[in-house]
Amino acid sequence: MTDPDRPVRVLVCDDQALVRAGYATIFTGYGFDVVGEAADGAAAVRLARELEPDVVVMDVHMPGVDGIEATRLLAGPDATSPAKVLVVTTFHTDENVYEALRAGASGFLLKDATPDQLVEGVRTVAAGESLLAPSVTRQLIGRYATRIKPAAPAGTDDTALAALTPRELEALTLIARGLSNAEIADELVVSRETVKTYVSRILTKLDLRDRVQAVVLAYRLGLVTADG
């Protein structure tokens, strides 16, 4: 978690200079500290390791090492000190978002997000939470459902799921449907604090890093499908 008494430090990674400049202007205007810019994945990895920003804002399509591989190197299972990566992408044309999430991204936003949404997204990820745009989560994961089928025989994860209480299993399903904590609280008729407790327990019991991984797992196990 970042120090609340200092500005959020951001590394901006995009192959388009105008996009980088636009992000930098927005972030600076909101009091963030833009510590660097990268035009390709290799530079993103090098600068992220050198500067240790609070959040790496990552485009997917970049020359050489793309954003997915850069994310894997910075936040994947082999990263010694995983970075917090926020992927900002064009949903309708980018078929690699799912792979970016698997690579370790803490979340994603669409490139048509408003400045307020972009800034709030960075703050969310910097605070150690994952960010999934609720309005498109089901569409995103559902669109790539064929890639999320379990590679191992059915039942491999039964033991892990058995550790969840019925209420936690309900919460996991709602998370995978893209509901926010507030919406889950309304659905289950509990407080938001209770939902936060459910989410924390789910991540701990299933050995998941964040909400993004919970969504991917739920789809992979068939708890939620592309049809809902």
Side-chain angles (χ1 to χ4, degrees):
M1 186 173 293
T2 57
D3 183 346
D5 295 327
R6 69 166 174 78
V8 175
R9 302 173 69 254
V10 184
L11 173 64
V12 176
C13 309
D14 195 289
D15 64 340
Q16 297 184 44
L18 282 177
V19 173
R20 296 197 306 274
Y23 286 167
T25 299
I26 292 171
F27 294 145
T28 301
Y30 278 81
F32 292 171
D33 181 9
V34 178
V35 297
E37 299 181 17
D40 59 67
V45 172
R46 176 176 54 80
L47 288 174
R49 290 172 173 169
E50 175 185 329
L51 301 171
E52 298 184 345
D54 298 315
V55 178
V56 178
V57 176
M58 183 80 73
D59 185 26
V60 170
H61 293 301
M62 293 188 290
V65 177
D66 64 17
I68 294 172
E69 181 59 21
T71 296
R72 184 176 294 109
L73 292 171
L74 290 173
D78 295 329
T80 55
S81 181
K84 296 171 183 174
V85 179
L86 174 62
V87 171
V88 183
T89 184
T90 303
F91 170 70
H92 293 294
T93 60
D94 191 348
E95 297 186 354
N96 295 314
V97 178
Y98 171 67
E99 282 79 1
L101 297 180
R102 287 190 64 190
S106 293
F108 73 90
L109 282 175
L110 307 184
K111 278 195 172 179
D112 61 2
T114 65
D116 284 345
Q117 290 171 330
L118 180 61
V119 167
E120 185 58 31
V122 171
R123 285 180 177 148
T124 298
V125 171
E129 301 176 20
S130 61
L131 178 74
L132 290 170
S135 63
V136 297
T137 299
R138 281 186 61 201
Q139 292 173 280
L140 174 66
I141 306 297
R143 179 171 176 176
Y144 307 117
T146 56
R147 303 184 189 181
I148 313 173
K149 299 300 183 184
T156 299
D157 296 277
D158 285 353
T159 302
L161 286 182
L164 301 182
T165 66
R167 207 61 162 166
E168 290 164 355
L169 191 58
E170 284 184 84
L172 174 59
T173 302
L174 295 175
I175 290 170
R177 284 172 48 197
L179 274 64
S180 66
N181 281 1
E183 291 169 330
I184 294 173
D186 290 341
E187 186 82 12
L188 299 181
V189 194
V190 297
S191 70
R192 296 188 188 185
E193 288 303 315
T194 298
V195 173
K196 289 181 179 179
T197 299
Y198 288 158
V199 173
S200 177
R201 289 176 179 171
I202 289 168
L203 298 183
T204 299
K205 289 181 178 181
L206 299 182
D207 193 24
L208 302 173
R209 189 188 66 184
D210 54 32
R211 200 181 185 102
V212 172
Q213 291 188 347
V215 172
V216 172
L217 178 66
Y219 272 88
R220 186 169 63 81
L221 297 180
L223 294 180
V224 180
T225 68
D227 297 325

